Amino acid sequence: MLSVNIGPLSLPMSQLLLISAFVIALIVGAVSGRKEGVPIAGTLSDIFLASMVAARIGFVIQYFEHYQENLWGIIDIRDGGFHIIAGLAGALALTAWKLWRHARIRRPLSIAVASGLLTWGSVSLLVTLAETSSRGMPQASFKLLDGTPVTLAEVAEGKPAVVNLWASWCPPCIREMPVLEKAQENHPDITFVFVNQGEHPETINEFMGEQKLSIQNVLTDTGASLGRTTGSQALPTTLFYDANGQQVNAHMGELSSASLAHNLKSFTTD
């Protein structure tokens, strides 16, 4: 499952796990802090914020070449670009500083941070193991814009594949299209497939004409079955399959040039 619906809001599983771990840390911190007579919710919030900032900085440094033409993109976190190791380093560094500076909060803060990290790490590992155990390319048949039935495997033709789930009414889908279009031109060794969710060929052709897009491998999925099959509850969603048709990564939400480059590293191409 790539995302979870909470009322009208659809959250990526990775974000939900992170929020859940933070909530666990807050609860444990409140209980242990009460015993010591010291509140630590503010300190935990500072650590959480520091980890997010560090994770973003680490990601931007790693993929800075992709932000040079649009420096505002550095602060646009909608692309989901975060460096996990940098984030952990930031959280642990600030935790160590807080423990050194404030003796009274050492015990409750240590317990709270450890609880949050353990929750996030263990559940993330379980989810990853469950998802990678058997995530082959769906075998359902879709249609080209001319009505020809085709499967994803037939379109991929034995190459690594990037499968993008999108719709013309989805603003982040529209914003990321030029990024994917350029990537399709620059990576002939990778098959890019655009599976429209729920719209008819006439609507898709009109949209592509208005946006002046020249993307290839556009498929129709009028019943939006692929989203349900892959566990995606929102658009856009992009799935990454290796040459053997096994899913190696997934990204829910808008892709930037940097976050796409990060996900393409999942492929082991010759």
Side-chain angles (χ1 to χ4, degrees):
M1 181 178 291
L2 298 178
S3 63
V4 175
N5 282 345
I6 303 177
L9 183 65
S10 185
L11 284 178
M13 182 63 72
S14 58
Q15 293 183 13
L16 182 61
L17 291 178
L18 190 61
I19 293 172
S20 299
F22 179 57
V23 170
I24 292 296
L26 286 175
I27 294 173
V28 173
V31 173
S32 57
R34 186 179 304 166
K35 294 180 180 179
E36 301 290 336
V38 290
I40 63 168
T43 301
L44 287 172
S45 297
D46 291 343
I47 293 172
F48 182 78
L49 179 60
S51 69
M52 293 295 98
V53 172
R56 182 61 177 180
I57 291 174
F59 184 85
V60 170
I61 290 174
Q62 185 176 8
Y63 296 99
F64 183 69
E65 61 183 288
H66 297 278
Y67 292 103
Q68 290 180 341
E69 296 182 1
N70 178 26
L71 294 179
W72 286 109
I74 292 175
I75 61 175
D76 187 356
I77 61 174
R78 290 176 299 180
D79 67 354
F82 294 95
H83 194 286
I84 293 177
I85 302 301
L88 286 173
L92 293 175
L94 185 56
T95 299
W97 187 81
K98 292 285 187 180
L99 292 175
W100 176 63
R101 293 277 302 190
H102 306 284
R104 291 187 62 198
I105 67 172
R106 287 176 182 171
R107 183 175 183 277
L109 182 59
S110 298
I111 295 174
V113 171
S115 299
L117 289 176
L118 182 61
T119 300
W120 173 76
S122 59
V123 178
S124 296
L125 179 60
L126 290 175
V127 171
T128 300
L129 291 175
E131 289 185 347
T132 56
S133 59
S134 178
R135 294 302 299 271
M137 186 176 288
Q139 299 301 310
S141 178
F142 306 103
K143 290 184 179 180
L144 298 171
L145 292 180
D146 63 4
T148 303
V150 68
T151 64
L152 294 177
E154 289 173 341
V155 177
E157 296 182 333
K159 295 190 295 186
V162 177
V163 179
N164 180 252
L165 283 65
W166 68 284
S168 66
W169 48 260
C170 164
C173 299
I174 298 173
R175 290 194 299 267
E176 73 176 2
M177 275 295 174
V179 173
L180 291 166
E181 181 182 36
K182 184 176 180 180
Q184 188 174 55
E185 296 174 358
N186 293 339
H187 297 279
D189 55 331
I190 299 173
T191 301
F192 286 78
V193 188
F194 301 86
V195 185
N196 181 276
Q197 298 295 283
E199 297 179 300
H200 294 285
E202 297 79 12
T203 302
I204 299 171
N205 281 321
E206 181 179 356
F207 166 79
M208 291 175 60
E210 291 175 350
Q211 298 295 321
K212 299 180 180 179
L213 293 171
S214 58
I215 54 176
Q216 306 298 315
N217 303 322
V218 180
L219 310 183
T220 63
D221 178 14
T222 54
S225 62
L226 185 57
R228 294 191 297 272
T229 300
T230 57
S232 172
Q233 305 295 322
L235 298 176
T237 293
T238 308
L239 309 171
F240 299 81
Y241 295 94
D242 64 18
N244 296 318
Q246 293 299 307
Q247 184 178 317
V248 294
N249 215 337
H251 182 96
M252 180 181 162
E254 182 179 344
L255 280 165
S256 66
S257 176
S259 56
L260 177 58
H262 171 71
N263 282 283
L264 290 179
K265 283 189 174 182
S266 301
F267 296 141
T268 54
T269 56
D270 295 330

